[in-house]
């Protein structure tokens, strides 16, 4: 159970080990890094970190290759073990690849990338659905020392182009078409549109997911054809611990997505350790994380964590309700899945379809259930535990972020009989020291209290910086509470000392586990020709966790129907960002509540939407307090005539 069992640290139980991992951080992480990773050259310094300066460096002096840690070392011991099970969109058509096969695929692709001029330090953008070639693309980049930038294949051409430009990619990898929920998605066409505004892109590798031919341009390379010409042995690059492994873009409270930088050794170690101990993963288990590889969850728990541990990982290409709401549980029965890791939004959706779709299938192989992406409400937790897990599987409600690299707070690992409280993330992982801050910026030491959630000391999995914008990284995460890492989330600590996440403290909302900044949506709304200004806030949504509520003020000079503007807004949100960015409600208003200096008072709008009219607070700074009454009346009128979209 305990990661230092063979490290001679002499720690026996969970709480002692937790204390040791926090109080003797260097000794803990050095022992685990030596035990769990294969090094080309050992590190000489465990950590050189100063959070107040935004300096985070781990395992300096060390050299390793991430793909070797995920593939070659397992091929030496168990070449025919299944590495990846690809659960294709088409039901009951799974494809299994052994470690040997995945290594060969990775090496061929690594050689192809090298032959086509991709060099150590370059950044390759990957726009693919979850599939073995996507995993091989990530690992091939790691093998030759290039960074990867995986972009969720549901993003629009504009959103993809913005990320390609910021990452300065000259190479993009995609598929001819995607298939999801029985529908064909034209991914190659999206890439074609995106690269029109990306002068750096010189080549696009196109893999064939379907048999339908697509138009190939001079920049396009038929990926599988070219891979077939390559050797199955590819010399791995020796990478410094702090070289970039990947960029991953996430929404911030400003309109521009930020490319978080994760590096080699620390990230891989943290992903592997959390995968092993939070989920109690053992050799021979089948692990299923149903997140897309375009998100950090897919990076850490579909790819890097399981493969570093020599595990068998399931890549899920479909949706929870295709061809019917039994899809997950039929898959659990057929693939004999032991750990299942999904999102609260999917659990809430399936709960509404009733228990019969779960009961229809044998779930006896399940040992651990996990939840990720947003806090899970008690009703969904209870259903997941009682119906899906038959009351015998621990449910681990995990809290973490793109920024943290891996799980930071979760009910497990813990002593076997330790309690799990529904809807609480509960216990910090090894090496993680959470603290709550009050409004004065002081540490709150008492229990049964709330505050801003910070982490008091660095850990190996954390992001190092923001690509092209180190100052933004320091300002966002290190300066709000100097000497601490600020998560942007609020949390409650119970009498027993357990943590419960209460939600974002900044202007970021969480729609079905997708983080998106309100500024990003407002930016798109304000580009509509008829819109003078807008304000976007999140509200509680029974399926998605949070929905999007937009207040829109139209230009006085334009004669336009509100229904036409609504259509235009949804089209633009879908085109510029993704479908999940479309507002659930659009309230047209004559004006918005503003301070005398012209700042929109979103706090007031939030209270109106949440029907907390008693708690509107001090309105004395409003330019014209009467506007609030107009907004309240408009909200009431909208709800009485419209269901959310």
């Amino acid at each position: 159970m305990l990661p230092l069992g063979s490290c001679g640290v002499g720690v026996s139980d969970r709480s002692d080990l937790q204390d040791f991992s926090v109080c003797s951080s260097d000794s803990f992480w050095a022992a685990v890094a030596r035990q769990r990773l294969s090094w080309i050259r050992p590190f000489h310094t465990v950590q050189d970190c100063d959070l107040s300066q935004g300096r985070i460096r781990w395992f300096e002096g060390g050299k390793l290759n991430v793909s070797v840690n995920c593939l070659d070392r397992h091929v030496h011991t168990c070449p025919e073990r299944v590495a990846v099970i690809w659960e294709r969109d088409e039901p009951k058509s799974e494809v299994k690849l052994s470690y040997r096969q995945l290594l060969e695929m990775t090496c061929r692709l690594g050689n192809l990338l090298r032959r086509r001029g991709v060099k150590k330090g370059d950044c390759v953008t990957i726009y693919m659905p979850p599939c073995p070639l996507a995993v091989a693309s990530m690992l091939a980049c790691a093998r030759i020392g290039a960074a990867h930038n995986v972009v969720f294949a549901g993003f629009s051409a504009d959103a993809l182009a913005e990320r390609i430009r910021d990452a300065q990619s000259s190479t993009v990898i995609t598929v001819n078409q995607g298939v999801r929920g029985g529908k064909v998605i034209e991914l190659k066409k999206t890439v074609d549109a995106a690269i029109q505004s990306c002068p750096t892109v010189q080549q696009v590798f196109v893999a064939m997911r379907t048999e339908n031919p697509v138009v190939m341009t001079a920049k396009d390379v038929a990926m599988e054809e070219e891979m077939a010409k390559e050797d199955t042995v590819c010399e791995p690059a020796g990478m410094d611990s702090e070289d970039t492994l990947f960029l991953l873009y996430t929404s911030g409270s400003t309109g521009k997505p930020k490319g978080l930088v994760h590096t080699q050794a620390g990230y891989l170690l943290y992903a592997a350790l959390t995968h092993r101990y939070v989920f109690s993963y053992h050799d021979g288990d089948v692990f299923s994380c149903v997140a897309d590889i375009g998100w950090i969850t897919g990076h850490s728990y579909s790819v890097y964590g399981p493969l570093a541990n020599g595990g068998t990982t399931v890549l899920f290409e479909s949706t929870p309700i295709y061809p019917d709401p039994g899809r997950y549980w039929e898959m659990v029965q057929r693939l004999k899945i032991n750990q299942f890791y999904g999102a609260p939004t999917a659990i809430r959706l399936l709960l509404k379809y009733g228990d019969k779709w779960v009961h229809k299938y044998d779930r006896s192989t399940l040992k651990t259930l996990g939840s990720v992406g947003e806090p899970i409400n008690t009703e969904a937790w209870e259903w997941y535990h009682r119906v899906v897990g038959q009351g015998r599987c621990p449910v681990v409600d995990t809290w973490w972020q793109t920024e943290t690299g891996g799980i930071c707070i979760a009910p497990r690992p813990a002593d076997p009989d330790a309690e799990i409280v529904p809807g609480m993330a509960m216990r910090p992982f090894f090496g993680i020291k959470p603290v709550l801050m009050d409004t004065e910026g002081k540490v709150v030491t008492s229990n049964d209290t709330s505050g801003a959630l910070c982490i008091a000391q660095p850990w190996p999995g954390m992001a190092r910086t923001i690509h092209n914008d180190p100052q933004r990284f320091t300002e966002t995460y290190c300066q709000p509470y100097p000497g601490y890492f600020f998560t942007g989330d609020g949390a409650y600590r119970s009498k027993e000392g357990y943590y419960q996440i209460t939600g974002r403290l900044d202007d970021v909302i969480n729609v079905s586990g997708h983080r998106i900044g309100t500024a990003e949506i407002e930016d798109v709304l304000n580009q509509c020709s008829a819109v003078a200004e807008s304000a976007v806030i999140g509200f509680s949504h029974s399926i998605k966790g949070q929905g999007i509520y937009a207040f829109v003020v139209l230009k006085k000079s334009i004669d336009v129907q509100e229904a036409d503007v609504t259509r235009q807004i949804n089209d633009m949100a879908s085109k510029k960002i993704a479908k999940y960015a479309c507002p659930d409600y659009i309230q047209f208003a004559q004006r918005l509540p503003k301070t005398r200096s012209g700042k929109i008072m979103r706090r007031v709008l939030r209270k109106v939407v949440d029907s907390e009219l008693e708690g509107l607070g001090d309105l004395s700074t409003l330019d014209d307090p009467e506007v609030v009454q107009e907004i309240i009346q408009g909200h009431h009128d909208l709800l009485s005539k419209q269901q959310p979209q």
Side-chain angles (χ1 to χ4, degrees):
M1 153 65 205
L2 299 176
L4 296 185
S6 60
C7 291
V9 171
V11 177
S12 56
D13 76 351
R14 168 72 174 79
S15 59
D16 286 352
L17 183 53
Q18 181 65 36
D19 292 346
F20 177 78
S21 72
V22 169
C23 300
S24 305
S25 179
D26 277 22
S27 303
F28 175 85
W29 288 116
V32 178
R34 290 188 187 109
Q35 182 196 25
R36 301 216 155 244
L37 297 182
S38 298
W39 297 88
I40 296 168
R41 187 177 75 199
F43 53 89
H44 55 61
T45 306
V46 182
Q47 61 173 304
D48 174 18
C49 303
D50 181 349
L51 284 181
S52 60
Q53 302 292 311
R55 185 175 76 244
I56 306 149
R57 305 185 68 80
W58 284 85
F59 309 120
E60 283 188 296
K63 273 191 184 295
L64 78 172
N65 185 278
V66 164
S67 78
V68 169
N69 276 274
C70 289
L71 298 173
D72 304 54
R73 61 177 178 166
H74 310 310
V75 170
H76 291 315
T77 57
C78 46
E80 299 312 316
R81 177 182 289 172
V82 176
V84 168
I85 304 174
W86 180 24
E87 176 67 8
R88 288 154 42 97
D89 189 62
E90 301 86 344
K92 303 179 186 175
S93 66
E94 76 275 6
V95 174
K96 297 182 179 182
L97 269 79
S98 68
Y99 272 92
R100 181 181 52 76
Q101 290 170 311
L102 186 56
L103 176 60
E104 285 183 7
M105 185 186 278
T106 300
C107 286
R108 285 184 192 273
L109 185 46
N111 286 328
L112 174 59
L113 292 173
R114 268 190 183 139
R115 174 160 66 84
R116 300 282 309 204
V118 178
K119 299 185 299 298
K120 190 171 176 174
D122 289 353
C123 183
V124 174
T125 293
I126 299 170
Y127 185 72
M128 302 172 90
C131 61
L133 268 173
V135 175
S137 298
M138 296 164 76
L139 292 169
C141 290
R143 194 164 194 87
I144 67 172
H148 58 72
N149 163 35
V150 182
V151 178
F152 169 57
F155 273 127
S156 67
D158 287 0
L160 171 61
E162 185 177 23
R163 288 157 174 78
I164 292 172
R165 284 194 301 268
D166 192 73
Q168 298 142 316
S169 288
S170 58
T171 300
V172 176
I173 305 178
T174 190
V175 293
N176 64 331
Q177 296 173 314
V179 187
R180 191 164 186 268
K183 297 187 182 73
V184 171
I185 304 143
E186 300 291 347
L187 296 185
K188 167 69 163 60
K189 282 185 183 164
T190 304
V191 173
D192 289 345
I195 66 172
Q196 297 301 309
S197 60
C198 300
T200 57
V201 175
Q202 292 166 7
Q203 57 186 350
V204 177
F205 292 95
V206 184
M208 297 296 286
R209 168 60 182 90
T210 68
E211 290 174 8
N212 304 327
V214 287
V215 177
M216 298 287 274
T217 70
K219 286 184 175 178
D220 297 332
V221 179
M223 190 155 103
E224 288 106 330
E225 275 179 42
E226 293 300 311
M227 282 171 64
K229 302 173 186 172
E230 298 294 341
D231 194 19
T232 56
V233 176
C234 175
E235 185 62 30
M239 304 299 288
D240 291 337
S241 295
E242 284 299 331
D243 284 338
T244 299
L245 177 61
F246 64 85
L247 306 184
L248 193 54
Y249 286 82
T250 185
S251 286
S253 51
T254 66
K256 185 177 156 57
K258 46 187 188 245
L260 289 158
V261 175
H262 281 285
T263 55
Q264 309 270 331
Y267 168 79
L268 186 66
L269 177 65
Y270 197 75
L273 205 67
T274 47
H275 170 257
R276 167 76 180 80
Y277 293 106
V278 172
F279 299 100
S280 192
Y281 184 86
H282 292 86
D283 268 1
D285 284 350
V286 176
F287 184 85
S288 173
C289 165
V290 292
D292 194 279
I293 54 159
W295 310 117
I296 189 68
T297 308
H299 281 55
S300 298
Y301 300 110
S302 293
V303 182
Y304 286 114
L307 295 179
N309 287 330
T312 297
T313 181
V314 176
L315 299 171
F316 184 72
E317 187 182 41
S318 194
T319 79
I321 54 172
Y322 179 75
D324 58 49
R327 179 61 186 265
Y328 280 165
W329 323 123
E330 188 280 323
M331 176 179 77
V332 165
Q333 173 181 290
R334 176 166 36 86
L335 303 183
K336 299 185 165 44
I337 288 166
N338 304 111
Q339 292 89 6
F340 181 89
Y341 195 28
T345 186
I347 304 304
R348 286 191 291 266
L349 175 66
L350 295 174
L351 186 160
K352 295 206 178 310
Y353 284 99
D355 302 357
K356 66 174 185 194
W357 292 105
V358 186
H359 289 151
K360 194 173 170 187
Y361 300 104
D362 177 7
R363 301 161 328 283
S364 59
T365 54
L366 286 173
K367 296 191 286 191
T368 302
L369 299 171
S371 162
V372 60
E374 59 188 297
I376 185 168
N377 54 307
T378 304
E379 183 196 13
W381 191 101
E382 297 279 11
W383 184 82
Y384 199 25
H385 180 254
R386 180 177 51 80
V387 179
V388 177
Q390 300 162 297
R392 55 178 185 78
C393 301
V395 174
V396 290
D397 174 10
T398 62
W399 175 84
W400 60 297
Q401 306 169 319
T402 308
E403 291 86 343
T404 71
I407 295 162
C408 288
I409 307 179
R412 295 287 186 265
D415 295 328
D417 54 352
E419 71 170 330
I420 295 183
V421 180
M424 279 193 144
M426 301 185 73
R427 301 175 178 96
F429 189 71
F430 301 122
I432 300 295
K433 186 180 179 185
V435 292
L436 300 180
M437 296 291 192
D438 65 17
T439 49
E440 327 275 67
K442 295 194 171 59
V443 175
V444 181
T445 52
S446 58
N447 285 353
D448 192 17
T449 188
S450 297
L453 179 63
C454 293
I455 300 178
Q457 58 190 41
W459 65 100
M462 67 193 298
R464 300 307 195 248
T465 188
I466 292 172
H467 183 60
N468 290 336
D469 203 349
Q471 186 180 347
R472 186 178 174 193
F473 182 86
T474 311
E475 287 171 358
T476 304
Y477 305 109
C478 304
Q479 284 177 2
Y481 301 94
Y484 296 86
F485 178 86
F486 174 50
T487 68
D489 279 334
Y492 164 72
R493 188 167 54 224
S494 71
K495 292 195 295 291
E496 300 78 15
Y498 302 146
Y499 289 88
Q500 179 172 27
I501 309 305
T502 51
R504 298 295 297 177
L505 297 174
D506 54 16
D507 291 320
V508 174
I509 49 185
N510 194 321
V511 181
S512 298
H514 305 314
R515 237 169 74 176
I516 187 161
T518 53
E520 207 175 332
I521 307 172
E522 288 167 9
D523 191 41
V524 170
L525 267 52
N526 295 342
Q527 289 173 35
C528 291
S529 54
V531 173
E533 63 178 342
S534 63
V536 168
I537 58 168
F539 68 94
S540 183
H541 190 288
S542 63
I543 301 287
K544 297 190 285 190
Q546 280 187 297
I548 298 170
Y549 195 110
F551 293 88
V552 171
V553 178
L554 297 177
K555 291 174 181 168
K556 299 279 187 282
S557 56
I558 295 181
D559 183 25
V560 66
Q561 295 295 310
E562 290 182 355
D564 294 336
V565 179
T566 297
R567 235 186 334 272
Q568 191 189 6
I569 283 172
N570 284 321
D571 287 348
M572 284 192 75
S574 183
K575 176 178 179 289
K576 297 278 185 188
I577 307 172
K579 279 200 171 61
Y580 64 76
C582 297
D584 298 271
Y585 289 100
I586 298 173
Q587 178 177 336
F588 293 95
Q590 294 300 310
R591 53 195 178 144
L592 296 174
K594 292 182 179 177
T595 62
R596 290 184 181 83
S597 63
K599 188 167 182 274
I600 297 170
M601 287 190 73
R602 285 177 175 76
R603 170 178 66 79
V604 171
L605 297 175
R606 207 171 280 123
K607 294 286 186 190
V608 171
V609 172
D610 290 341
S611 301
E612 294 177 9
L613 301 183
E614 303 301 310
L616 284 172
D618 178 18
L619 302 178
S620 61
T621 56
L622 276 176
D623 188 29
D624 180 359
E626 283 181 22
V627 70
V628 178
Q629 219 36 58
E630 294 170 19
I631 293 287
I632 291 170
Q633 187 59 48
H635 174 63
H636 179 267
D637 295 347
L638 180 65
L639 289 196
S640 59
K641 70 180 184 192
Q642 184 194 334
Q643 290 300 307
Q645 298 173 26

